[in-house]
């Protein structure tokens, strides 16, 4: 590829991290292409909360505003397309799109996010994002004081204890034998959290309003909201393809304080690389990554006398 066609940055992922990074880089006159499939992780949610100035926004509304604000930057291109492969050779990144087209860039940002491994419960999908949630910071306040059920994953006991901030009427439905340490059991007992180990038959309610949890023994536990603790995995295989290191605890892409991975020129931001999975946090991480990337480009150009 000729030098004139070489992009400064390709960003894979057009959520809050990727779009925030694009904004900063565009304002630095960097040539940027953002590739995204248009399927955000929080799409099922009615709204998201905790983002100052955007509290209570719908995911679709938020992304539309973000995209519209990038239009005036002529060096930014937004493309609805999947990146299927990426490699680094001689300091240049080449990404391959699902169409077979390739693009080359000096730096690459992965803002690809994660996939929640959702509970396999009958009826779950119609309540998901409405009265079944994974994040108490996003949705706990709206259900404060209500009867809550908690289930799912290795962190379900910790989630139940945390939810005592929002409601004292909590039941942990472990869907089988409870797996947690003695400390968590003692904390739940002190907090008055009841545990039901009977397997769950399904969720019941009208429309998307949860009414209760039905167990295999026929019993119904009346509840108005379910919180679950999902296991997760990387949404994109690109980090693995490129040789990134991952955190053992949660599978996030390992980065330094400037969002740089162990691969020179490769950065990561948002849920793919951080444990705090809030929209506002992802946007902030995209900004920090963009500043670091721009500084790296400035330093490289200054060394070559090309500023």
């Amino acid at each position: 590829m000729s030098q004139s066609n070489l992009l400064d940055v390709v960003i894979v992922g057009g959520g809050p991290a990727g779009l925030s990074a694009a904004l900063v880089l565009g304002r630095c006159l960097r040539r940027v292409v953002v590739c995204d499939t248009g399927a955000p992780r929080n799409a099922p949610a009615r709204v998201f909360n905790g983002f100052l100035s955007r509290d209570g926004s719908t995911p679709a509304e938020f992304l539309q505003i973000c995209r519209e604000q990038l239009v005036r930057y002529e060096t930014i291109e937004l493309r609805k397309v999947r990146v299927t492969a990426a490699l680094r050779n001689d300091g240049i990144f080449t990404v391959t799109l699902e169409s077979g087209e390739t693009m080359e860039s000096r730096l690459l940002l992965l803002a690809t996010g994660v996939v929640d491994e959702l509970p396999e419960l009958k009826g779950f999908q119609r309540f998901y994002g409405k009265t079944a949630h994974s994040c108490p910071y996003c949705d706990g306040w709206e259900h404060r004081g209500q009867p809550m059920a908690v289930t799912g994953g290795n962190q379900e006991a910790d989630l139940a204890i945390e939810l005592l901030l929002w409601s004292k009427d909590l039941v942990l439905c472990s869907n089988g034998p409870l797996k947690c340490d003695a400390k968590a059991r003692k904390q739940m007992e002190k907090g008055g959290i009841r545990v039901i180990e009977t397997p769950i038959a399904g969720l019941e309610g009208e429309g998307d309003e949860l009414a209760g949890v039905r167990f295999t023994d026929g019993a119904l536990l009346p509840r108005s909201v379910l919180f679950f603790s999902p296991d997760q995995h990387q949404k994109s295989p690109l980090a693995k393809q490129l040789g990134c290191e991952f955190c053992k605890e949660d599978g996030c892409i390992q980065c330094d304080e400037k969002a740089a991975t162990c691969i020179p020129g490769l950065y990561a931001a948002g849920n793919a690389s951080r444990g705090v999975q809030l929209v506002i946090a992802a946007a902030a991480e995209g900004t920090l990554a963009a500043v670091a990337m721009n500084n790296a480009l400035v330093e490289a150009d200054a060394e070559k006398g090309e500023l």
Side-chain angles (χ1 to χ4, degrees):
M1 179 175 285
S2 67
Q3 195 69 21
S4 61
N5 291 327
L6 181 65
L7 297 165
D8 289 311
V9 180
V10 168
I11 299 174
V12 186
L19 295 177
S20 181
L23 174 62
V24 173
L25 291 165
R27 292 186 59 81
C28 295
L29 305 179
R30 299 297 182 185
R31 294 184 60 210
V32 179
V33 173
V34 181
C35 300
D36 185 69
T37 60
R41 171 173 168 252
N42 64 352
R46 284 175 179 165
V47 297
F48 68 87
N49 299 290
F51 195 128
L52 192 62
S53 82
R54 289 288 177 262
D55 196 49
S57 296
T58 69
E61 173 192 22
F62 174 75
L63 290 177
Q64 182 62 30
I65 291 171
C66 293
R67 295 183 189 117
E68 289 174 354
Q69 291 186 347
L70 295 180
V71 170
R72 69 185 180 125
Y73 298 99
E74 63 274 9
T75 58
I76 300 175
E77 181 183 356
L78 303 179
R79 300 188 62 173
K80 188 175 181 179
V81 66
R82 183 183 305 278
V83 175
T84 58
L87 61 86
R88 181 179 182 271
N89 187 35
D90 293 331
I92 299 298
F93 290 93
T94 302
V95 299
T96 302
L97 309 182
E98 57 189 345
S99 63
E101 178 187 355
T102 60
M103 295 185 295
E104 293 187 342
S105 62
R106 300 169 67 188
L107 302 178
L108 179 63
L109 174 63
L110 299 181
T112 44
V114 294
V115 175
D116 290 325
E117 298 173 11
L118 301 176
E120 296 181 1
L121 300 176
K122 183 180 178 181
F124 173 81
Q125 287 295 335
R126 65 187 173 107
F127 303 111
Y128 179 39
K130 284 73 177 179
T131 50
H133 311 285
S134 62
C135 178
Y137 289 97
C138 296
D139 301 292
W141 189 87
E142 281 69 25
H143 299 284
R144 63 198 184 279
Q146 296 179 12
M148 296 181 177
V150 183
T151 194
N154 295 322
Q155 305 297 319
E156 60 185 3
D158 292 336
L159 176 60
I161 294 165
E162 183 178 32
L163 281 164
L164 286 169
L165 291 168
W166 289 274
S167 177
K168 305 303 180 186
D169 187 355
L170 277 165
V171 179
L172 174 55
C173 306
S174 60
N175 200 23
L178 177 63
K179 299 176 182 178
C180 69
D181 58 27
K183 179 181 178 181
R185 287 178 182 271
K186 188 173 182 179
Q187 288 176 332
M188 287 194 294
E189 184 178 347
K190 286 183 176 180
I193 299 172
R194 185 156 59 104
V195 176
I196 298 178
E197 297 183 311
T198 307
I200 299 171
L203 306 180
E204 299 182 6
E206 293 294 328
D208 57 19
E209 296 296 326
L210 181 68
V213 179
R214 180 75 66 178
F215 298 96
T216 54
D217 63 3
L220 177 68
L221 173 69
R223 300 283 98 177
S224 59
V225 61
L226 172 76
F227 279 90
F228 61 96
S229 176
D231 293 327
Q232 298 177 327
H233 61 266
Q234 291 285 324
K235 186 175 184 179
S236 168
L238 297 180
K240 187 175 181 180
Q241 284 181 15
L242 289 161
C244 286
E245 296 177 353
F246 297 87
C247 299
K248 292 182 180 179
E249 297 80 12
D250 54 16
C252 290
I253 302 170
Q254 205 167 78
C255 301
D256 65 15
E257 68 280 359
K258 294 182 179 180
T261 72
C262 63
I263 309 301
L266 177 64
Y267 295 75
N271 293 348
S273 65
R274 296 291 188 274
V276 179
Q277 297 181 354
L278 299 173
V279 176
I280 194 167
E285 289 159 10
T287 295
L288 294 174
V291 171
M293 296 174 86
N294 184 64
N295 288 341
L297 291 170
V298 168
E299 184 176 347
D301 291 342
E303 287 182 358
K304 295 184 293 185
E306 294 181 357
L307 280 178

